[in-house]
Amino acid sequence: MLSTTVCRSALHARDPFLFASAPCLRSATAGIVARRTFATAPPKDKLKSAKSDQQVFPGAEGLHIRDLQRVEKDISPDPEVRGDWVLFHPVYTPEELKAVDVLHRDAKTLSDKLAVNFCKLLRFGFDVVSGYKHKPIPPGSKLSLKELREGGYIMDEHAWLNRILFLESIAGVPGMVAAALRHLRSLRLMRRDSGWIHTLLEEAENERMHLMTFMTLRNPGLLFRAMILGAQGVFYNIFFFSYLVSPRTCHRFVGHLEEEAVVTYSRAIKELEAGRLPKWEKQPAPDIAKDYWRLRPDATMLDVLYAVRSDESTHRFVNHSLANLKNDDINPFALREPDMHVKGKVLEFDRDSATKYVRESHEILEKHNRV
């Protein structure tokens, strides 16, 4: 697995040889043309998807290279369908997983202040609804795990799942709303979108996969689902109309929201590594997570938390960068993205950095077109 930059699946559609040979591939398997078919589903209804909290079969979100041998052996022959198995998303090296810092961007304009204040309001609401507690533990404290939880210093695994499930059910909304509005704008104006739509859809799917992963650990009850339904409905409409008025403010807001997500997962990782989440210490990573992030067979919940935190750091970097661009600027992440040693350590590209990055991407394409 290479750890430099990430080429988009769009390259494969335009030039399969270029996509397979480019050195900026994240995964050595990304350029292989795979046979995509339906994996074996439950006998009752072969086209009905299993619930996220039920056991899923390999390739539940689409086949990839790990499934090829099984498909060739067990289900062959099948119609051949060429294409990628899932929307682009990073697969991280061990070094990249640790290369994430908690960062905060200071508000510089009126638009920025509006975005950060709305983020604070939303964070407060999340904290109340999810019962989030994280008071600083007194220095030199010898309180037991039970006393720390009862004192509101730390949360147990159930409370963490409440927090995460509520967060991820909302976090998948902005990317889809923004992608839909830009898609309709492109149709309406009959001109290209400059590569924004794909990146926004990728963000939406990535956040949805976070939710599907953690849903395997807990199936929320009706009250929790009702709260999510109400919050999602309100947030969707607010974000929809806000994006019509000021896309830049909305991307800045999402950037700040992802800052908070990085804080949340960093705290969860710290609690788990400190032994304060004992049920998760040896909890195997869900199969859907191993499938999605290409985790090793013996991966645990700690590996999942690190992968999700890296995703949130990516969204933080991308949205703060998009907020610095004009509405018709080229999306610098349309063809590739920096690795986590950039996205995890730096908050954003300014407009000049984005222009330079786009130029470098074009040079890479030109170089391999000549090969």
Side-chain angles (χ1 to χ4, degrees):
M1 185 184 302
L2 302 179
S3 61
T4 51
T5 51
V6 181
C7 284
R8 296 300 202 196
S9 57
L11 295 180
H12 180 270
R14 185 166 55 191
D15 188 340
F17 176 77
L18 169 62
F19 182 76
S21 62
C24 55
L25 292 178
R26 166 74 57 181
S27 169
T29 64
I32 298 176
V33 178
R35 297 178 63 217
R36 183 190 296 173
T37 182
F38 292 108
T40 304
K44 289 184 178 180
D45 188 346
K46 292 187 177 182
L47 294 181
K48 186 176 180 180
S49 174
K51 294 180 180 179
S52 57
D53 58 325
Q54 295 175 348
Q55 182 65 29
V56 294
F57 47 87
E61 289 293 330
L63 296 179
H64 58 74
I65 191 64
R66 286 181 180 174
D67 298 313
L68 290 183
Q69 185 175 0
R70 183 182 62 80
V71 171
E72 296 282 351
K73 180 179 179 181
D74 299 338
I75 315 179
S76 183
D78 280 325
E80 188 171 41
V81 180
R82 297 179 181 273
D84 297 316
W85 75 280
V86 74
L87 284 176
F88 162 86
H89 65 283
V91 175
Y92 307 103
T93 65
E95 295 76 20
E96 286 182 295
L97 291 172
K98 302 295 178 69
V100 175
D101 291 339
V102 173
L103 303 172
H104 174 69
R105 185 185 188 278
D106 293 328
K108 302 176 181 178
T109 65
L110 180 61
S111 173
D112 291 350
K113 292 177 181 178
L114 181 63
V116 75
N117 285 327
F118 186 64
C119 182
K120 289 179 179 179
L121 177 63
L122 196 63
R123 170 65 190 260
F124 174 77
F126 279 159
D127 290 349
V128 171
V129 172
S130 63
Y132 185 73
K133 300 175 183 178
H134 204 280
K135 295 193 302 185
I137 298 176
S141 171
K142 296 183 179 180
L143 295 174
S144 66
L145 185 62
K146 181 180 180 180
E147 290 171 333
L148 287 172
R149 288 176 176 174
E150 291 177 349
Y153 296 103
I154 61 175
M155 301 190 298
D156 60 15
E157 294 84 354
H158 185 272
W160 272 110
L161 277 176
N162 277 345
R163 170 75 175 181
I164 292 170
L165 290 174
F166 199 89
L167 173 67
E168 298 298 351
S169 68
I170 303 300
V173 171
M176 183 60 67
V177 172
L181 287 174
R182 291 193 67 97
H183 173 78
L184 294 174
R185 177 176 179 268
S186 177
L187 297 178
R188 186 169 63 252
L189 299 180
M190 300 182 185
R191 68 186 187 200
R192 299 177 67 176
D193 176 67
S194 301
W196 289 54
I197 294 173
H198 286 174
T199 294
L200 296 169
L201 287 175
E202 289 157 8
E203 176 186 311
E205 184 194 59
N206 183 250
E207 298 286 12
R208 183 181 66 86
M209 290 302 297
H210 295 174
L211 178 64
M212 296 298 101
T213 295
F214 288 102
M215 277 288 295
T216 63
L217 303 178
R218 181 185 170 221
N219 187 11
L222 290 178
L223 178 60
F224 191 89
R225 291 172 182 268
M227 288 191 296
I228 288 177
L229 179 63
Q232 190 181 88
V234 172
F235 180 64
Y236 183 99
N237 285 285
I238 291 176
F239 195 85
F240 178 90
F241 290 109
S242 298
Y243 202 88
L244 289 174
V245 175
S246 178
R248 176 174 294 182
T249 303
C250 289
H251 285 295
R252 185 71 70 206
F253 160 75
V254 177
H256 286 297
L257 191 65
E258 300 298 350
E259 289 177 13
E260 296 297 331
V262 171
V263 170
T264 294
Y265 284 108
S266 294
R267 286 176 176 169
I269 289 170
K270 183 179 179 180
E271 295 292 285
L272 182 51
E273 291 181 332
R276 299 188 185 116
L277 297 172
K279 292 181 181 179
W280 283 1
E281 285 184 357
K282 295 183 180 180
Q283 171 81 38
D287 288 340
I288 193 171
K290 296 177 184 178
D291 191 48
Y292 185 67
W293 285 288
R294 312 292 197 268
L295 301 178
R296 63 182 189 274
D298 62 343
T300 65
M301 277 300 298
L302 183 61
D303 298 295
V304 174
L305 292 176
Y306 268 111
V308 174
R309 185 183 69 166
S310 295
D311 284 345
E312 306 294 7
S313 180
T314 293
H315 303 325
R316 177 184 69 185
F317 181 86
V318 168
N319 278 279
H320 275 316
S321 299
L322 293 180
N324 293 332
L325 304 181
K326 295 182 179 179
N327 212 29
D328 293 321
D329 283 347
I330 294 175
N331 170 22
F333 312 112
L335 297 179
R336 64 187 183 117
E337 285 183 6
D339 65 21
M340 289 309 301
H341 298 289
V342 175
K343 294 185 294 186
K345 303 288 185 182
V346 181
L347 269 172
E348 60 192 345
F349 278 159
D350 58 24
R351 197 160 182 254
D352 291 338
S353 298
T355 301
K356 179 181 178 182
Y357 195 75
V358 170
R359 188 180 302 116
E360 291 172 352
S361 298
H362 290 167
E363 291 172 356
I364 291 172
L365 290 177
E366 290 296 326
K367 176 181 177 180
H368 288 279
N369 273 327
R370 294 193 295 267
V371 174

